[in-house]
Amino acid sequence: MKKVFLLILLSTLRLSAQKTAPPAPYGALPSPQQVEWQKMEYYMFIHFGPNTFTNKEWGHGDEDPKVFNPTRLDARQWARTAKAAGMKAIIITAKHHDGFCLWPSKFSKHTVRESAWKNGQGDVLRELSDACKEYGLKFGVYLSPWDRNHPAYGTPEYNQIFANTLDEVLSSYGSVFEQWFDGANGEGPNGKRQEYDWNLFRGVVYKHQPKAIIFSDIGPGCRWMGNESGIAGETNWSTLNTDGFGMGHAAPPTHVLNAGNENGKYWIPAEVDVSIRPGWFYSPDTDDRVKTLTHLMKIYYSSVGRNGNLLLNVPVSREGLIHQNDSTRLMEFRKTVAESFKTNLALGKTVTASAVRGKDQRFGAKNLLDGNYDTYWTTDDAVRQGSFVIDLGKPTEINRIVLQEYIPLGQRVKSFKVEAWNGKQFETIDQQTTIGYKRILVFPTLKTTKVRVTILESNACPVLAECGLYKATELLSNPEIARNRQGLVTITSEVADPVIRYTTDGSEPTLASTRYTAPFHYAKGGTIKARAFIKNGAESSEIVPASFDLAPEKWSVVASDDKLKSAAGRAIDSNPHTVWQTARQEGSAKHPHELVVNLGETLNLKGFTYTPRQDGQNGGTIYQYSFYVSENGTDWKPVLEKQAFANIRNNPVKQEVPFASPQKAKFIKLVALSSVNENENWASAAEVGVLVN
Ligand code: FUL
Ligand code: CA
C-alpha cells in the first residue's frame, strides 16, 4: 500500500516537473532581423534629387547636375521631423532612375560633386546618416539599378559598376538597416535594358551589412505589396513563393504580392510604400495636396493594421527641407495614432480560453493581455480552432481590436471572428482572414462587457502574443467635392446634419465662409476648399481641397462612327469611374490608338491632363504618347512627341502635363504609342482634360 502511494506521488512529481514543450515552429520563419524589422512598423521614405527641381517623377538622366541646388538643406530637420512623427528610420533615394548620386561617387560623373550645391563639396548621405545617428533613427538606402545616365548601362560592365556603387555606399555611412532595390528596369542612354545580376548585388549588401533587410518586389528581406496607394491585402501572408520569379515584370502578379502566399516557401513580409503627396518627388504644385489626416489614418489601418510595415514618403523640398504642410500633417497623424492606441482597455483584465496547451499556465490566455509580445497563448498541437473571452468587468466603449500572432513560430491563422456581448448573447462584430504580426480591426464604437475572439481556421495550433481593445479617436468624415461635365459642383458629406462651408479663393473655410446648400456652377475652374461643421462649429472636419480646370461642357469626340463616339465620350464625361477604351479584339489595329476631341471653342492651352483608369485594372493605361493640337481639325501640330507618363504603372494618378509654351487650339489629339503592359495593343482613359488656367 505504502509502495503504491509512493509510486503515485513520484509519478505526479515527475509529471509536474516535466514542463509542456512550446509548439514547434510552423512553415517558413522570419530571421531575427525580420522580427526586429517588423517591430519597427513605421518609418520615413525620402525622395530627393534633380527631379525635386525639375518637376519630374522619372528624370531622364540628361538633366544638368547644376539644377540640384537646395538652398537651405538641413538633414537634421528631416531626422527631427521623422523622430517627432514617431518613425523609426529614414530610407533615402541615394540614386534614382536618373542616375544622379546624392553622394560624390567615384563611379559616376553625375553626382552632388557636379552640382551647384555647396560648390560640389556636399554629401547628402553623410549629412543624413549623421543626423539619423544623432536622433536614434535607423538609416536605409534606396539605389535604383536602372540608370538613365550611366554610359555603361545596358552593357555587361554595368553590373560590376553598380556593385561597386553599392559597395561604396554600404561601406561608408555606418550601419544600413534596409537596402531598397527598385524593380523598375527601362532603357538607358544607349537604348538598351540591363540584365541585372541580382546575386552579385545581394552579395555586396551582405558583405558589408550582413543584417540588412533587402527590399525588392520579391525580397528576400521584405516585399513590395503590389501598389503605391498604401493598401495591403486584407488577407496578408508574410510568406511568398518566389521560385521562378524575378523583379519588375518578372515578379508575381500584384494581387499575389498584395496577399502573399499561404504556406509560401519563404518568409518575405510586406512593406507598404506610399507617398504623403500624389507623387514621390516634391513639387510646389502639390503643396496643397498633402494627403489628409483621414487618408493617412486609412493607410495606417491598411498597412500596419494589415501585417505590413508602413514606409511613408515625405519628399524634401527645393530648399532641402521637409515642407511645413507635410510636417504639420505628420504631427497630426502621430498624435491621432498615439491617442487612439494609448489605453489598452483589455490590459490586465480577466481572460479565459477554450483550451490551453498542456493545461500549462505558461501558455495561458492571460499572456494575451500582459503587454508582452514574447508571452503567448497557445493550444495543444492537434487543436486548430479555439477561442478566448475577455471580461472587461464593466460596460466599456470600444471601436478597435488589435491581434498579434507570435511570428517567431510562423504565421498560422487563416480566419477568425470577433464578437461582443450584447447583454443576451455574443454578436459578431467582424470576421476576417489572416492576422500575422499585427492585425487591427476598425468598427463603430460599441459598449460591451465581454469580447470573444474565435480562431476559426489555423494551419497549426494558434499562437497569439497579444490582444488589445481600444477606443480610438473618431474623425469627423470629410466632405467630398465633385464637378460634373456641365461644371456643376456638388459637395456631399456622410455626417448627419452638417453645415458645409466652402471658399473659392484658396482661403481656409471658416464658420463665416459661404454655406453650401445646392450645386453651383463652376465651369471655368479653380480651387474649392470645403469643410463640414457640426454642433454650431464646435466640431469640424478637415479642410478638403479640390482643383478643377475648364469643364468639358462644350466638348465632343470626333469619330467616324457613333459607337466609338459614345465610348470615347467616357473620357470627357467628368466621371473618373467610366473608362474609354479602344477596340481590343484579335487582329485589331496595333498602336497608335487615338482620341480626338473638339473643344467647341478656340482656347489657349497651357497643357493637358490624362487620368488613367481608376478601377484597379491597368489594361490599356497609356505609357508613351504624343499630343497634337489643331485649330481646324485637319492640320495638326505636334506639341509633345513620344513622351511617357513616368511611373504611371505603379502609381496611376492623374497626370498633369504642362506645355513648354501656350498653344492655340480648338481640337486636341492624344495618341497612345504604348501601354504600361507590354504587347498590349489598345488604349484606355478615365478622363482627358486641358489646362487653361
Ligand atoms: C518605383 C519608382 O519607379 C518610383 O519612382 C518610386 O521611386 C517608387 C518608390 O518606386 O518603382
Ligand atoms: Ca503577451
Side-chain angles (χ1 to χ4, degrees):
M1 191 63 202
K2 239 183 175 179
K3 238 182 176 174
V4 174
F5 179 75
L6 206 75
L7 257 176
I8 293 175
L9 188 81
L10 272 176
S11 66
T12 330
L13 277 176
R14 221 186 43 227
L15 258 183
S16 59
Q18 203 178 56
K19 287 187 182 165
T20 319
Y26 174 80
L29 299 175
S31 67
Q33 287 81 11
Q34 284 173 313
V35 176
E36 280 314 299
W37 173 88
Q38 194 89 53
K39 288 180 179 171
M40 293 172 66
E41 293 190 5
Y42 173 45
Y43 36 94
M44 186 183 274
F45 214 176
I46 290 181
H47 276 64
F48 186 46
N51 295 345
T52 308
F53 301 85
T54 56
N55 253 3
K56 283 183 198 154
E57 280 293 303
W58 280 359
H60 294 269
D62 57 1
E63 293 78 20
D64 182 348
K66 293 273 183 287
V67 299
F68 183 84
N69 192 15
T71 46
R72 295 166 55 202
L73 186 139
D74 181 4
R76 296 178 68 244
Q77 187 248 10
W78 316 349
R80 201 159 59 234
T81 307
K83 187 78 186 182
M87 295 166 158
K88 298 290 190 302
I90 299 180
I91 300 178
I92 186 159
T93 52
K95 177 171 91 117
H96 203 252
H97 310 324
D98 58 18
F100 185 85
C101 302
L102 292 182
W103 77 103
S105 175
K106 281 200 291 251
F107 306 101
S108 166
K109 292 200 174 67
H110 196 53
T111 77
V112 281
R113 190 182 49 233
E114 286 74 30
S115 80
W117 179 56
K118 290 194 168 175
N119 295 317
Q121 302 298 304
D123 181 344
V124 180
L125 298 192
R126 174 73 56 220
E127 296 196 19
L128 181 58
S129 56
D130 285 350
C132 283
K133 279 181 205 121
E134 183 183 337
Y135 285 92
L137 297 168
K138 294 187 182 187
F139 173 66
V141 283
Y142 165 118
L143 280 156
S144 166
W146 182 22
D147 191 320
R148 300 172 104 178
N149 173 271
H150 207 289
Y153 188 88
T155 72
E157 295 85 79
Y158 175 80
N159 280 328
Q160 192 52 53
I161 292 169
F162 185 68
N164 294 346
T165 311
L166 263 178
D167 193 284
E168 187 178 40
V169 170
L170 297 174
S171 62
S172 306
Y173 301 98
S175 174
V176 169
F177 88 101
E178 183 168 326
Q179 169 63 51
W180 221 91
F181 281 132
D182 200 300
N185 178 348
E187 281 122 36
N190 67 0
K192 291 211 179 94
R193 287 189 185 190
Q194 181 80 29
E195 285 286 335
Y196 300 137
D197 188 344
W198 290 108
N199 281 335
L200 174 68
F201 305 161
R202 272 194 290 266
V204 179
V205 177
Y206 290 139
K207 180 174 133 210
H208 293 294
Q209 306 285 343
K211 293 193 165 165
I213 296 294
I214 297 183
F215 166 98
S216 82
D217 293 336
I218 55 165
C222 64
R223 71 174 196 267
W224 185 45
M225 60 80 223
N227 62 62
E228 294 182 357
S229 46
I231 316 288
E234 282 201 286
T235 297
N236 184 9
W237 296 98
S238 288
T239 48
L240 190 72
N241 294 319
T242 58
D243 292 351
F245 290 104
M247 313 282 192
H249 286 267
T254 49
H255 70 268
V256 172
L257 294 175
N258 200 240
N261 295 118
E262 180 181 349
N263 292 318
K265 192 166 167 193
Y266 306 100
W267 185 274
I268 310 178
E271 183 183 79
V272 179
D273 61 315
V274 58
S275 184
I276 198 164
R277 293 184 179 223
W280 289 97
F281 285 88
Y282 175 84
S283 160
D285 302 346
T286 58
D287 283 348
D288 253 357
R289 286 156 71 190
V290 174
K291 288 191 168 73
T292 59
L293 173 61
T294 307
H295 195 167
L296 289 181
M297 286 308 295
K298 192 172 158 220
I299 287 173
Y300 180 80
Y301 288 119
S302 59
S303 55
V304 176
R306 289 187 188 165
N307 190 30
N309 272 4
L310 173 55
L311 173 59
L312 182 62
N313 181 64
V314 185
V316 162
S317 75
R318 292 177 185 173
E319 290 188 293
L321 298 170
I322 290 175
H323 191 277
Q324 179 71 55
N325 294 3
D326 306 74
S327 71
T328 304
R329 193 54 43 77
L330 286 174
M331 297 314 131
E332 292 170 3
F333 181 39
R334 199 259 152 117
K335 188 164 167 256
T336 308
V337 172
E339 277 174 6
S340 297
F341 296 99
K342 196 172 126 201
T343 312
N344 179 359
L345 299 162
L347 201 71
K349 291 277 159 28
T350 317
V351 53
T352 40
S354 55
V356 169
R357 186 175 184 83
K359 298 201 169 61
D360 185 334
Q361 278 319 300
R362 286 189 307 138
F363 303 113
K366 65 173 190 329
N367 290 341
L368 288 160
L369 309 186
D370 65 355
N372 177 359
Y373 185 73
D374 294 316
T375 59
Y376 51 79
W377 163 66
T378 187
T379 61
D380 288 342
D381 287 340
V383 176
R384 296 286 188 277
Q385 292 180 329
S387 63
F388 59 86
V389 176
I390 300 172
D391 190 339
L392 293 163
K394 56 171 190 285
T396 309
E397 284 197 332
I398 55 167
N399 57 19
R400 306 284 185 269
I401 184 167
V402 180
L403 288 161
Q404 295 193 276
E405 280 184 87
Y406 184 67
I407 56 169
L409 295 180
Q411 189 179 352
R412 301 158 174 247
V413 175
K414 262 184 94 149
S415 72
F416 68 100
K417 183 167 77 173
V418 179
E419 300 157 296
W421 184 254
N422 68 7
K424 290 197 200 86
Q425 61 194 41
F426 278 110
E427 220 175 85
T428 302
I429 302 176
D430 201 355
Q431 181 168 330
Q432 289 291 336
T433 54
T434 54
I435 297 176
Y437 168 73
K438 191 177 254 191
R439 186 73 198 266
I440 310 177
L441 301 185
V442 175
F443 50 90
T445 304
L446 57 88
K447 205 179 213 173
T448 187
T449 50
K450 279 188 280 187
V451 172
R452 179 162 73 186
V453 176
T454 305
I455 306 302
L456 298 165
E457 267 181 292
S458 184
N459 285 324
C461 62
V463 182
L464 262 66
E466 282 296 296
C467 174
L469 295 170
Y470 300 86
K471 167 111 196 310
T473 315
E474 298 268 28
L475 302 170
L476 197 67
S477 60
N478 286 334
E480 278 184 38
I481 308 170
R483 190 184 67 174
N484 72 8
R485 192 188 148 110
Q486 283 70 39
L488 270 190
V489 168
T490 311
I491 310 180
T492 49
S493 168
E494 285 176 357
V495 179
D497 300 323
V499 172
I500 298 172
R501 307 221 172 240
Y502 69 95
T503 63
T504 54
D505 62 359
S507 66
E508 308 212 320
T510 64
L511 275 172
S513 306
T514 312
R515 181 167 180 176
Y516 173 82
T517 48
F520 58 94
H521 206 244
Y522 197 66
K524 289 212 166 77
T527 298
I528 296 174
K529 289 185 178 171
R531 187 178 199 174
F533 294 89
I534 55 168
K535 300 180 188 160
N536 290 322
E539 281 177 42
S540 64
S541 73
E542 291 180 87
I543 295 167
V544 179
S547 294
F548 301 101
D549 212 290
L550 183 71
E553 225 180 336
K554 303 178 185 156
W555 304 4
S556 56
V557 169
V558 182
S560 44
D561 70 285
D562 284 344
K563 214 172 134 204
L564 184 59
K565 217 182 213 163
S566 76
R570 295 189 198 123
I572 54 165
D573 62 358
S574 291
N575 180 356
H577 304 297
T578 58
V579 180
W580 159 70
Q581 60 187 54
T582 59
R584 56 188 292 188
Q585 60 271 35
E586 220 43 62
S588 69
K590 294 249 189 265
H591 280 299
H593 284 207
E594 60 185 46
L595 176 70
V596 179
V597 177
N598 178 347
L599 303 173
E601 63 190 321
T602 302
L603 296 166
N604 208 22
L605 304 186
K606 292 184 181 153
F608 82 99
T609 66
Y610 168 69
T611 308
R613 54 196 299 175
Q614 300 293 302
D615 56 0
Q617 319 268 323
N618 65 11
T621 290
I622 301 172
Y623 177 51
Q624 286 165 306
Y625 66 90
S626 293
F627 194 88
Y628 300 82
V629 295
S630 169
E631 289 192 64
N632 56 17
T634 324
D635 307 308
W636 292 96
K637 175 183 172 192
V639 188
L640 292 156
E641 280 183 292
K642 213 167 183 246
Q643 299 295 310
F645 297 120
N647 200 29
I648 197 169
R649 184 174 210 264
N650 289 347
N651 191 19
V653 295
K654 180 177 179 184
Q655 310 286 308
E656 299 188 7
V657 188
F659 298 152
S661 57
Q663 302 291 328
K664 246 183 163 186
K666 192 177 172 194
F667 297 84
I668 57 170
K669 177 155 75 178
L670 173 63
V671 180
L673 302 174
S674 71
S675 146
V676 293
N677 300 306
E678 274 168 52
N679 307 319
E680 202 171 59
N681 63 351
W682 53 287
S684 67
E687 284 301 296
V688 171
V690 297
L691 301 172
V692 296
N693 291 333

